[in-house]
Amino acid sequence: MTLEGTLEADVSTADGGPRPGDVAFAFTVTNASSEPVELQFSDMCKAEFVVRDGDREVWRFTEGRMFAQMLSREALAPGESSTYEAEWERPRPGAYTATAELRAQEASCEAHTSLAVPE
């Protein structure tokens, strides 16, 4: 099984959304193999997002949140993708590195991106 991931971070601007400066993450996981892949999840959180300032963790999507404990499956045909999203509200200005990681039971995939939150 070969999964490839990409992570995009979109910092909203004054005309881009209800709260300027919020960061919207989109983690896209693609089945890069020639066989179908079935992803199995143990709860409703299918991806973890973590933001770091150097070595210091400054935000984690799952921190302080609860997710329904519900087994689910998602099938990806060869070449097919699935996108998981998260939003980081009211971040402090600065330069950061974000990581997204798939939370499937027997599959792994992660992606990284850099982002800057303006003052």
Side-chain angles (χ1 to χ4, degrees):
M1 163 181 359
T2 304
L3 297 173
E4 294 179 355
T6 59
L7 177 59
E8 294 180 16
D10 181 25
V11 181
S12 63
T13 58
D15 16 328
R19 281 199 295 257
D22 286 358
V23 180
F25 293 104
F27 176 41
T28 301
V29 176
T30 302
N31 177 3
S33 72
S34 59
E35 299 292 323
V37 171
E38 186 171 282
L39 303 175
Q40 298 180 35
F41 300 95
S42 57
D43 63 25
M44 296 306 293
C45 182
K46 297 182 179 179
E48 175 69 279
F49 298 82
V50 178
V51 176
R52 288 186 172 81
D53 179 359
D55 290 335
R56 186 174 61 89
E57 184 176 304
V58 295
W59 179 79
R60 178 175 289 268
F61 176 67
T62 57
E63 181 97 15
R65 297 174 192 248
M66 296 182 69
F67 299 92
Q69 301 296 306
M70 185 168 159
L71 297 177
S72 64
R73 297 172 189 253
E74 190 171 326
L76 292 179
E80 189 175 24
S81 299
S82 189
T83 300
Y84 309 98
E85 298 177 341
E87 187 171 317
W88 181 22
E89 297 177 349
R90 299 180 194 90
R92 292 185 180 272
Y96 301 99
T97 301
T99 302
E101 184 176 0
L102 188 66
R103 291 179 33 134
Q105 291 179 355
E106 295 180 15
S108 64
C109 182
E110 72 176 40
H112 309 273
T113 193
S114 298
L115 66 135
V117 177
E119 292 196 32

